[in-house]
Amino acid sequence: MTEALDAVLTRLDADFDASLARLFDLLKIPSISTDPAFRADCAHAAERLVADLAAIGFDASVRSTPGHPMVVAHWKQAPGKPHVLFYGHYDVQPVDPLGLWTTPPFEPRLETAGDGSQRIVGRGASDDKGQIMTFVEAARAYIAEIGGLPVNVTILFEGEEESGSPSLVPFMAATAEELRADVALVCDTGMWDRQTPAITTRLRGLVGEEITIACADKDLHSGMFGGPALNPIRVLTRILGELHDDEGRVTIPGFYDGVGEVSEAIKANWASLGFDEAAFLGGVGLTTSAGEAGRSALELVWSRPTAEINGITGGYTGDGFKTVLPAVAKAKVSFRLVGDQDPDKIRAAFRAFVHDRLPPDARVAFHPHGGSPGLRLNDDSPALHKALAALADEWGRPAAMVGSGGSIPVVGLFKSMLGMDSLMIGFGLDDDRIHSPNEKYELESFRKGQRSWARVLAALAE
Amino acid sequence: MTEALDAVLTRLDADFDASLARLFDLLKIPSISTDPAFRADCAHAAERLVADLAAIGFDASVRSTPGHPMVVAHWKQAPGKPHVLFYGHYDVQPVDPLGLWTTPPFEPRLETAGDGSQRIVGRGASDDKGQIMTFVEAARAYIAEIGGLPVNVTILFEGEEESGSPSLVPFMAATAEELRADVALVCDTGMWDRQTPAITTRLRGLVGEEITIACADKDLHSGMFGGPALNPIRVLTRILGELHDDEGRVTIPGFYDGVGEVSEAIKANWASLGFDEAAFLGGVGLTTSAGEAGRSALELVWSRPTAEINGITGGYTGDGFKTVLPAVAKAKVSFRLVGDQDPDKIRAAFRAFVHDRLPPDARVAFHPHGGSPGLRLNDDSPALHKALAALADEWGRPAAMVGSGGSIPVVGLFKSMLGMDSLMIGFGLDDDRIHSPNEKYELESFRKGQRSWARVLAALAE
């Protein structure tokens, strides 16, 4: 370890309480990007990050978009050293159902677990505000301690990651030269387990579709019209109920084109991780894998595509009962993609699947919500191996090379639009309840995450 | 026509504007029984009716129940004459989706149609406040004009008809002797068409069920758990999507037990009504009957059972997109019953149907919402034929003997608990948009409905 890195790590430890207070201030801002009611809060979060980065010494600015603003910041005073682009997002998921939160989602607090460990509880603690602040704190400590960073750094914080990133492509197209770097560091993933750091080298893609079925031109009384009148909920459930066969496979024609099988070597590597499928499912109250028959849960999440219904609504859903035949029924459907599955073809195949099943008088409208292919990182990348070594130094054990079931569209865009590979390094845990009530981030993730970035930056400078 | 009846009819015509003002006052009360937020409004409607009936000369009172109150009123000063029980309900359906109302649902108004006819627009105008006031106004005119009614009358107004009538059975059990009469007059049905009055002699029954499917013990991220984790919306759509076969028949084992076929004579009678199936469907934007193949829409609504999904909800249904795997999904399902179908057996068969299709880790909870069998009136009833003649006198053409696709549970209870037949006479029209936005009641229905009741009461006294 170099003397400079040692000093930075010591400073991070000394400044930890202050860093936690800064994170709490950020967590208090309800920057829910998918709900227009929180538009001003998203802007507030972006402005706060810019002010903080400027105070550290970055050339930072809020960049407006048709949606929520981007944060862009540069520190490029390390001539001859590599240039990295750090990416994260300041927006968070909606908080419903609010009644299941133990404490208000935007009043962050520390909670002590049964084993004495502490965690930060609040919406965005793990996804992604806690994660992005690990990097910001590492940068702050470098500049404060030794007057600069070991590599040139550009930071990009997005405010629409949880709502399909509608502004990302046009923004990246307009700022490609400003953002392009040697490698991207993307901090929106997790550790393998509480003790084992990980770099994510495989990501599933995502296609989102909103589907609306309409039949009669008004709501009808089921006594007066029940029988002859077509019920759009019946149409919708019939179609969506046919999305999977009895073996859990998706039935859309052509859906598995380009999926491919994972190599035996990678299967063996994953087997060595000692994944406890019963504990994984049991942790959320389940006992039995519901995916394609004959495949492990790990294989399903890291290497297999899915079709899921993320939301459905139609008719009367309040208290009591209403014998209505509604005029419309709606669902939000998403597909996780792997390998060479083409998002456009999957979307078209789903739409054809629906059209093929529409009875007379049923009309359908589709609304797209984003589309990105699955991604795999080249296992031979030098930056990958430097980062793996840096993480191993901090955590005292080898870092895992894992897959992730969630999509991070920006990683695909960095590759396709800027020609950059991404190192996906994050410190979340599977039980962080991201997207759910009572989201949390381990205090240890926040502490060792900061120290990990200090080490990764030093390693990438070599 | 007797001189007394003639005088009453003349008085009804002279008092018509005032009767309309009284109806508007009642329509202004948002007595939505299914939503607890409107509890005080339901009580207000009951109290208003009692005050009005007492002013006419009835011995009227509000009777509290664990739910919304009943209104009971007596006028029994016609010794030796028959005793009738008049039934209606003062509660109304919810008004959502509110945005589709042209004017506020509880600000009743008169609207002039393209053909110059006028209609009363507002929630409850047709179902059932306008209908019950036709009878109240006839009674008012009798007592004001000739000092009494031609028969003995008990009135029962319920406040839970639109929410499953939970208090009705215990209330009727406790007040059976007070309510029992020679025949019941139930005013909650419609005319055959704008010119042709009708008495409804067949009713479909109704079984309501609320079903909740739960899988994981919390909402999950579809990236992290999508594939192995069971999605309750998938379970629910799969099960509900199997409720009907390709011919539109309900697939629940034993569902059609006791349904029976309508006689050729009744089929011929219905055929003579000149029902325009294309106009019936076209009136609500449909072209094709969606029910059991090979049966007419009229036959489906009057004589065939159904399974319908009246509401469904699960996951994220707000603006934007959320890649959530929800913990629960819910649906409200109802069955329209005919012939000798047993509500308890249908409920049990549906529950078994669901249980048979539950995958591992899916739990189901059921909540019942009322159950009543279908009903048929004896075609030879003398009261029926007196009422048919009275209606023919008012409208100038024979009254039709029709079926109704909707259930009126109270009619079954009058039969089973009080041993009474019911004459179902009402003046609604198929296009009244009951249960939908912009509900209306023809001004002519309100006017000739009052006159019809004056004639029916006179006829029943003979």
Side-chain angles (χ1 to χ4, degrees):
Chain A
M1 189 191 299
T2 68
E3 201 171 303
L5 174 58
D6 199 20
V8 168
L9 294 175
T10 300
R11 174 174 277 268
L12 282 172
D13 290 344
D15 194 40
F16 185 68
D17 287 349
S19 75
L20 189 61
R22 287 186 286 266
L23 173 58
F24 274 31
D25 285 344
L26 186 61
L27 291 173
K28 288 172 186 168
I29 304 172
S31 47
I32 300 170
S33 60
T34 201
D35 186 337
F38 296 92
R39 186 173 180 86
D41 299 294
C42 290
H44 180 196
E47 287 153 10
R48 182 182 170 79
L49 285 163
V50 164
D52 193 23
L53 289 166
I56 294 172
F58 278 78
D59 174 14
S61 55
V62 171
R63 307 289 178 90
S64 62
T65 75
H68 302 298
M70 303 281 179
V71 170
V72 176
H74 299 287
W75 188 96
K76 295 193 190 171
Q77 301 168 39
K81 293 294 182 182
H83 176 202
V84 301
L85 172 65
F86 180 84
Y87 167 89
H89 63 91
Y90 66 78
D91 63 321
V92 300
Q93 279 276 318
V95 296
D96 57 290
L98 190 58
L100 296 185
W101 285 80
T102 306
T103 52
F106 296 106
E107 296 178 16
R109 64 187 170 93
L110 276 186
E111 175 183 270
T112 302
D115 64 359
S117 68
Q118 289 190 291
R119 65 265 302 260
I120 304 156
V121 178
R123 174 56 89 223
S126 176
D127 183 19
D128 189 34
K129 289 173 175 172
Q131 302 247 58
I132 66 178
M133 290 307 290
T134 57
F135 187 88
V136 172
E137 295 302 340
R140 188 193 317 277
Y142 262 112
I143 297 173
E145 186 64 30
I146 64 172
L149 293 162
V151 295
N152 297 293
V153 174
T154 293
I155 288 176
L156 172 64
F157 292 146
E158 185 192 358
E160 300 178 332
E161 200 275 342
E162 302 292 6
S163 54
S165 297
S167 305
L168 189 59
V169 167
F171 183 78
M172 282 179 55
T175 57
E177 291 315 308
E178 183 182 357
L179 296 178
R180 186 174 287 118
D182 297 307
V183 69
L185 305 175
V186 173
C187 190
D188 199 16
T189 53
M191 315 239 298
W192 165 246
D193 61 25
R194 194 172 280 265
Q195 289 81 34
T196 314
I199 299 183
T200 301
T201 63
R202 304 171 67 100
L203 283 180
R204 290 196 288 189
L206 181 66
V207 165
E209 277 281 284
E210 199 163 328
I211 167 176
T212 302
I213 302 282
C215 296
D217 58 16
K218 59 176 77 71
D219 285 358
L220 304 175
H221 185 295
S222 81
M224 194 171 289
F225 287 94
L230 188 63
N231 181 339
I233 307 179
R234 173 174 153 195
V235 175
L236 187 62
T237 57
R238 181 93 190 254
I239 293 173
L240 297 181
E242 292 180 359
L243 272 176
H244 299 86
D245 67 16
D246 291 340
E247 300 295 305
R249 285 174 61 87
V250 177
T251 57
I252 297 170
F255 183 76
Y256 290 97
D257 290 353
V259 167
E261 290 291 337
V262 168
S263 70
E264 290 305 316
I266 286 185
K267 279 190 184 176
N269 181 288
W270 291 350
S272 78
L273 291 173
F275 177 68
D276 185 341
E277 180 161 323
F280 172 75
L281 292 170
V284 296
L286 300 172
T287 66
T288 308
S289 178
E292 296 169 79
R295 297 182 185 273
S296 74
L298 198 69
E299 185 185 359
L300 288 170
V301 173
W302 288 357
S303 70
R304 300 298 301 178
T306 67
E308 294 286 1
I309 308 157
N310 303 109
I312 190 166
T313 184
Y316 184 70
T317 59
D319 285 343
F321 210 92
K322 184 172 173 181
T323 52
V324 65
L325 300 181
V328 297
K330 300 181 182 190
K332 296 178 200 275
V333 178
S334 67
F335 303 92
R336 297 281 173 185
L337 307 188
V338 302
D340 297 320
Q341 279 181 301
D342 180 325
D344 294 335
K345 284 186 183 169
I346 294 293
R347 192 187 304 282
F350 171 66
R351 292 182 176 188
F353 179 90
V354 173
H355 275 293
D356 286 349
R357 284 160 178 77
L358 278 187
D361 284 337
R363 290 157 287 135
V364 63
F366 296 99
H367 182 77
H369 282 278
S372 63
L375 285 169
R376 282 167 293 193
L377 184 64
N378 184 343
D379 290 350
D380 301 326
S381 152
L384 169 62
H385 287 279
K386 288 176 184 173
L388 286 167
L391 290 172
D393 284 347
E394 174 61 26
W395 294 82
R397 60 168 64 192
M401 291 172 61
V402 305
S404 169
S407 72
I408 305 184
V410 72
V411 174
L413 298 175
F414 286 161
K415 185 74 178 179
S416 63
M417 296 180 69
L418 304 182
M420 280 194 301
D421 282 331
S422 296
L423 296 177
M424 289 173 268
I425 302 172
F427 307 96
L429 292 178
D430 283 349
D431 66 357
D432 278 355
R433 295 188 289 265
I434 66 170
H435 295 208
S436 292
N438 305 312
E439 178 178 348
K440 62 88 177 166
Y441 196 46
E442 295 293 326
L443 199 63
E444 193 69 354
S445 291
F446 190 52
R447 191 176 74 80
K448 292 176 80 78
Q450 297 178 20
R451 293 171 53 93
S452 294
W453 283 121
R455 293 182 189 273
V456 169
L457 290 177
L460 293 176
E462 300 301 311
Chain B
M1 190 191 300
T2 70
E3 201 172 303
L5 175 56
D6 198 21
V8 168
L9 295 175
T10 301
R11 175 175 277 268
L12 282 171
D13 290 343
D15 194 41
F16 185 67
D17 287 350
S19 74
L20 189 62
R22 287 187 285 267
L23 173 58
F24 273 32
D25 284 345
L26 187 61
L27 291 173
K28 288 172 185 167
I29 304 172
S31 46
I32 300 170
S33 59
T34 202
D35 186 338
F38 296 91
R39 187 173 180 84
D41 299 294
C42 290
H44 180 198
E47 287 152 10
R48 180 180 173 80
L49 286 163
V50 164
D52 194 22
L53 290 167
I56 294 172
F58 278 78
D59 174 14
S61 55
V62 171
R63 308 290 178 90
S64 62
T65 75
H68 303 298
M70 302 282 178
V71 170
V72 177
H74 299 287
W75 188 95
K76 295 192 191 172
Q77 301 168 39
K81 293 295 183 182
H83 177 201
V84 302
L85 171 65
F86 180 85
Y87 166 90
H89 62 91
Y90 65 78
D91 63 319
V92 299
Q93 280 276 319
V95 296
D96 58 289
L98 190 59
L100 296 186
W101 286 80
T102 306
T103 52
F106 297 106
E107 296 178 16
R109 62 187 170 93
L110 277 185
E111 176 183 270
T112 303
D115 64 1
S117 68
Q118 288 190 292
R119 65 266 303 260
I120 303 155
V121 178
R123 172 57 87 225
S126 176
D127 182 17
D128 188 37
K129 289 172 175 172
Q131 303 247 58
I132 66 179
M133 290 307 290
T134 58
F135 187 87
V136 172
E137 295 302 341
R140 187 192 319 274
Y142 261 112
I143 297 173
E145 186 66 28
I146 63 171
L149 294 163
V151 294
N152 297 292
V153 174
T154 294
I155 288 175
L156 172 64
F157 293 146
E158 185 191 357
E160 299 177 331
E161 201 274 343
E162 303 292 6
S163 54
S165 297
S167 306
L168 189 59
V169 167
F171 183 78
M172 281 179 55
T175 56
E177 291 315 307
E178 183 183 355
L179 296 177
R180 186 174 288 120
D182 297 308
V183 69
L185 306 175
V186 173
C187 191
D188 199 15
T189 53
M191 315 240 297
W192 165 246
D193 61 26
R194 194 170 281 264
Q195 288 82 34
T196 315
I199 298 182
T200 302
T201 63
R202 305 172 66 102
L203 282 180
R204 290 195 290 189
L206 181 66
V207 164
E209 277 280 282
E210 199 164 328
I211 168 176
T212 303
I213 302 282
C215 297
D217 59 16
K218 59 177 77 73
D219 286 358
L220 303 175
H221 186 296
S222 81
M224 194 172 289
F225 287 94
L230 189 61
N231 181 339
I233 307 179
R234 173 173 151 193
V235 175
L236 186 62
T237 56
R238 181 92 189 255
I239 293 172
L240 298 182
E242 292 180 359
L243 272 176
H244 299 85
D245 67 15
D246 290 340
E247 301 295 305
R249 284 174 62 87
V250 178
T251 57
I252 296 170
F255 183 76
Y256 290 95
D257 291 354
V259 167
E261 290 291 337
V262 168
S263 70
E264 291 305 316
I266 287 186
K267 278 191 184 175
N269 181 288
W270 291 351
S272 77
L273 291 172
F275 178 69
D276 184 341
E277 179 162 325
F280 172 75
L281 292 170
V284 295
L286 300 173
T287 66
T288 308
S289 178
E292 296 170 79
R295 297 183 185 273
S296 74
L298 198 69
E299 185 185 359
L300 289 169
V301 173
W302 287 359
S303 70
R304 299 300 299 177
T306 67
E308 293 287 0
I309 308 156
N310 304 109
I312 191 166
T313 184
Y316 183 71
T317 59
D319 284 344
F321 211 91
K322 185 172 172 180
T323 52
V324 65
L325 299 182
V328 298
K330 300 180 183 191
K332 296 179 199 276
V333 178
S334 66
F335 304 92
R336 297 279 173 186
L337 307 188
V338 302
D340 296 320
Q341 280 181 301
D342 180 326
D344 295 335
K345 285 187 183 169
I346 294 293
R347 192 187 303 283
F350 171 65
R351 292 181 177 189
F353 178 91
V354 173
H355 276 293
D356 285 350
R357 285 161 177 76
L358 278 187
D361 284 337
R363 289 157 288 133
V364 63
F366 296 100
H367 181 76
H369 281 279
S372 62
L375 286 168
R376 282 166 293 192
L377 185 63
N378 183 342
D379 289 351
D380 302 326
S381 154
L384 169 61
H385 287 280
K386 289 176 184 171
L388 286 167
L391 290 172
D393 285 346
E394 173 61 27
W395 295 83
R397 62 169 65 193
M401 291 174 60
V402 304
S404 169
S407 73
I408 304 183
V410 73
V411 174
L413 298 175
F414 286 160
K415 185 75 178 177
S416 63
M417 296 181 69
L418 305 182
M420 279 194 300
D421 282 331
S422 295
L423 296 176
M424 289 174 266
I425 301 172
F427 308 95
L429 293 179
D430 283 349
D431 66 357
D432 277 355
R433 295 188 289 266
I434 67 171
H435 296 210
S436 293
N438 304 312
E439 178 179 349
K440 62 88 177 167
Y441 196 47
E442 295 293 325
L443 198 64
E444 193 70 353
S445 291
F446 190 52
R447 191 176 73 80
K448 290 175 82 78
Q450 298 178 21
R451 292 172 53 94
S452 294
W453 283 120
R455 293 181 189 272
V456 169
L457 290 176
L460 292 176
E462 299 302 311

